[in-house]
Amino acid sequence: MALFVIGDTHGHSTQVTSALREAGLIDASGDWAGADDKLWFLGDLTDRGPDGIGVIELIMRLQPQAAAAGGEVGCVLGNHDLLLYGSHYIPDARIAPDRTIFQSWTLNGGRDTDLEALTDRHLTWLAGCPAVALVDDHLLVHADTTAYLEFGTSIEDINKTVGTMLAERDPETFGPRMRLIFRRFEFLDPAQGPFRARMMLEFLGGSRIVHGHSTIPETFQVPPPLVDGPVIYADGLVVAVDTGIALGAPCLVVPLS
Ligand SMILES: [Mn+2]
């Protein structure tokens, strides 16, 4: 039983499918072949790339198949997933004083085709995804920030707060709260980074934080085509796995255990 994660896929469903096939987690017809393995997506499924809904559909299809085989497929929500969700329900609500959710979604690579193809089934599924998950001692989050602790001080509380936020879709609070998950680089500072990571792990559990959101090329100055694995930093407490697929890096299925 192994745990695999995939960073931000941003609509690149073809690359995701190929990478999962190469890793042996799906078969030639696209069905779950990972037995009791676990596969988690770290959010930002949509925007920038051609087929965000295709990625959502893929995960939705694999989840029951994996569960039936004794495995697990999961996904933590990213800021782009929340942007798309908000753009559907409350496009004119503010994310900042001078910007609506819809404007922010467009500026961040939102694709009309995703918004048009988004159905109630996808929206209900998104609303049920956690923001944080503890899997085999790995704390899985989308963004490299301690902002999650502003939603709650336990995984249960954080996911409950985010779940309520998605269920209520309050135009006054949805945008400002979503913005917290746009924060980044909070574990990079050589002194503060490990301290913050340790604090978050103490509250939420796990021995390592695993995140997407900030790409390895942009964070660690690796040319996108050369990204060939995760980057472990902050005294070994934090693992970055977003290869930067939208920058031309490969889609990697990263084994964690
Ligand atoms: Mn992100």
Side-chain angles (χ1 to χ4, degrees):
M1 187 186 76
L3 167 63
F4 299 91
V5 293
I6 294 191
D8 311 24
T9 51
H10 282 305
H12 291 271
S13 57
T14 309
Q15 284 96 317
V16 176
T17 304
S18 311
L20 288 175
R21 202 171 286 146
E22 252 173 67
L25 291 172
I26 61 173
D27 62 21
S29 39
D31 293 318
W32 180 252
D36 61 356
D37 285 345
K38 296 176 185 177
L39 168 67
W40 277 77
F41 290 79
L42 297 186
D44 280 6
L45 308 175
T46 63
D47 306 343
R48 305 199 199 286
D51 188 16
I53 300 300
V55 178
I56 293 177
E57 285 280 349
L58 173 71
I59 302 173
M60 288 177 72
R61 208 165 70 83
L62 292 178
Q63 272 184 325
Q65 293 180 353
E72 181 177 86
V73 171
C75 179
V76 290
L77 290 165
N79 54 313
H80 282 266
D81 310 310
L82 295 173
L83 268 178
L84 179 69
Y85 187 92
S87 293
H88 174 84
Y89 285 114
I90 42 170
D92 298 328
R94 302 270 149 185
I95 187 167
D98 61 343
R99 189 166 295 171
T100 67
I101 289 177
F102 183 78
Q103 284 169 336
S104 179
W105 175 71
T106 303
L107 285 167
N108 282 285
R111 295 283 186 110
D112 290 340
T113 44
D114 279 346
L115 196 53
E116 284 158 14
L118 192 67
T119 65
D120 285 347
R121 215 165 49 86
H122 304 129
L123 291 157
T124 303
W125 180 80
L126 283 170
C129 284
V132 181
L134 183 61
V135 185
D136 297 345
D137 209 33
H138 291 86
L139 186 65
L140 309 182
V141 294
H142 172 68
D144 42 330
T145 173
T146 59
Y148 291 97
L149 295 173
E150 298 188 28
F151 292 92
T153 50
S154 70
I155 291 179
E156 201 189 350
D157 282 351
I158 294 169
N159 290 335
K160 210 165 132 192
T161 306
V162 174
T164 303
M165 170 185 152
L166 271 77
E168 291 179 347
R169 308 182 298 257
D170 173 18
E172 295 299 315
T173 56
F174 189 96
R177 279 186 169 176
M178 166 168 60
R179 251 178 88 184
L180 294 171
I181 305 179
F182 279 65
R183 281 171 32 185
R184 65 171 80 245
F185 296 149
E186 293 180 11
F187 306 120
L188 267 184
D189 182 84
Q192 288 297 313
F195 171 79
R196 290 176 181 147
R198 225 167 257 124
M199 177 190 69
M200 198 147 127
L201 290 165
E202 260 169 44
F203 273 112
L204 306 181
S207 59
R208 260 182 187 170
I209 297 167
V210 182
H211 71 81
H213 188 53
S214 296
T215 71
I216 291 169
E218 289 164 310
T219 312
F220 301 102
Q221 290 77 50
V222 181
L226 300 186
V227 176
D228 59 0
V231 173
I232 301 171
Y233 66 106
D235 287 358
L237 297 172
V238 184
V239 186
V241 302
D242 180 10
T243 57
I245 200 166
L247 306 171
C251 174
L252 295 181
V253 179
V254 177
L256 290 178
S257 61

